Every structure is written in structure tokens, then in C-alpha cells.
Amino acid sequence: MDKLRNYDVSFSGLKNGKHEFKFEIDKTFFQLFDTEQEFTNPRIEVNVLLDKHTTFLEFEIKIKGLVELVCDITNEDFDYPIENEIKILVNFGEEYDDSNEDVITIPTGEHAFNVAHLIYENVMLSIPMKKISPNVSDEDIQILDQFSPKEIEETEEEEHDSDPRWDALKKLRDNN
């Protein structure tokens, strides 16, 4: 956890109310997680708004920036804009618990909350499954459709190859 210390939001000593923290995220941030990314050259700004209350903390994390993706169709690099916002409630309890996606419990004696994993997860979830460059032409898509496998319609004959005993049971179910 020491390598992620730069992403601690220290709340001890802060007055109740709103406080703002900013982080600049680049490739060195993602290298801390020892996982493979589907993008390169991240240029992301993170604004963390902490609303401190006496018994809990409210975090609003806004992620905005660009990552470089490889187009699935043309295999060319392109910049993809990322913009995401999450809200997390942090309670105090006996031990760390993040089983609820909207509420995280941290030990009562903690003085800081680390936002690195929340930033990482939200950037990763902002990456689309299909990576299509805005420069892809309609002609490229038509060619792709032409050579894509077509769906085969299932015939009703396959349904009649079932066991007649099951058919009788299905009739009973349909009548109820």
C-alpha cells in the first residue's frame, strides 16, 4: 500500500465541510497496479471533493481526460475521452469493508482514505469493449459487415426432437 500513499486523502485535522483535492494521472499511476491495460498514454485529471461530517465522509470523485486506444477495425491509435463521476460514502467501523459499492467502512482510528483503487476502477470501467476510432469510414464498416458471420435462424424441427414425456409436462405447466 506504500506505493499508493500519494493518493491518500487525509481528513484528520480538517474542519467539517467541503475540501477539494486534485490528482494528475499518467502511465506511472497504472504501473503501480501490476495489471495490463487496454490503453496507453493516459492523461487524466482527477478532482476529489470531500464533504467531511462528524460521523462520516462523502467523496465525489470526478475523472476527466484522454487515453490512447487502438481501433479494433483499422488498428490505428486514437485518443478516447474519459469522463466519469462517482459518489462514495465512507463510514467508520471496526474493520475495513468495501462489500457495498456505495458505502465503504474504514477502521475508526484511520486518518486518511486512499482513493487510488476507486480512480483505477473507474478509469478501467470507462474503457469501451468495442474500440472504434472516430476516423473509421462508412465504407470500412460496410466491408466489415460484408465479411462478418451471419446469424443462422434456428428451425422449429429441432424442438420436435424432444422426448414426448417432456412435452406432456410442458403442457401441464402451460395450463397453470
Side-chain angles (χ1 to χ4, degrees):
M1 195 70 167
D2 289 333
K3 59 186 179 180
L4 300 175
R5 281 278 175 230
N6 292 337
Y7 304 97
D8 278 353
V9 173
S10 181
F11 52 82
S12 66
L14 294 177
K15 294 181 181 180
N16 287 355
K18 296 186 180 196
H19 307 276
E20 190 172 348
F21 301 85
K22 292 186 182 221
F23 300 99
E24 295 289 327
I25 304 297
D26 58 12
K27 66 181 179 180
T28 56
F29 172 79
F30 293 98
Q31 290 169 349
L32 298 173
F33 288 92
D34 298 328
T35 58
E36 191 174 315
Q37 287 81 38
E38 298 181 21
F39 56 85
T40 56
N41 196 18
R43 301 165 313 273
I44 301 168
E45 184 178 299
V46 179
N47 289 321
V48 177
L49 183 66
L50 164 63
D51 192 358
K52 183 180 179 188
H53 301 272
T54 307
T55 57
F56 65 94
L57 308 168
E58 286 181 274
F59 283 92
E60 186 176 317
I61 301 171
K62 295 180 181 180
I63 299 168
K64 187 175 184 177
L66 295 171
V67 294
E68 199 170 279
L69 299 177
V70 177
C71 179
D72 291 338
I73 296 174
T74 62
N75 212 25
E76 294 176 359
D77 292 342
F78 68 99
D79 281 339
Y80 182 79
I82 287 182
E83 192 166 348
N84 197 348
E85 180 179 329
I86 58 166
K87 294 181 181 182
I88 298 290
L89 187 69
V90 177
N91 282 331
F92 297 99
E94 290 185 22
E95 60 185 31
Y96 185 85
D97 179 19
D98 63 353
S99 57
N100 184 337
E101 65 184 50
D102 296 326
V103 180
I104 296 175
T105 302
I106 61 173
T108 305
E110 289 290 319
H111 64 281
F113 180 70
N114 191 286
V115 295
H117 287 284
L118 295 172
I119 294 169
Y120 177 81
E121 288 173 4
N122 282 283
V123 170
M124 298 306 278
L125 291 173
S126 297
I127 305 300
M129 293 292 284
K130 290 184 178 181
K131 298 161 196 67
I132 300 175
S133 170
N135 301 330
V136 172
S137 67
D138 291 338
E139 186 178 306
D140 291 335
I141 293 177
Q142 286 175 354
I143 291 171
L144 187 65
D145 286 342
Q146 179 182 353
F147 292 104
S148 294
K150 307 295 182 238
E151 290 184 27
I152 300 172
E153 294 183 26
E154 294 182 26
T155 59
E156 291 185 22
E157 292 176 22
E158 292 178 18
E159 291 181 19
H160 296 293
D161 291 339
S162 64
D163 190 335
R165 294 174 289 183
W166 286 113
D167 291 337
L169 288 173
K170 286 181 186 176
K171 287 180 188 175
L172 284 173
R173 183 187 68 191
D174 292 340
N175 287 339
N176 289 336

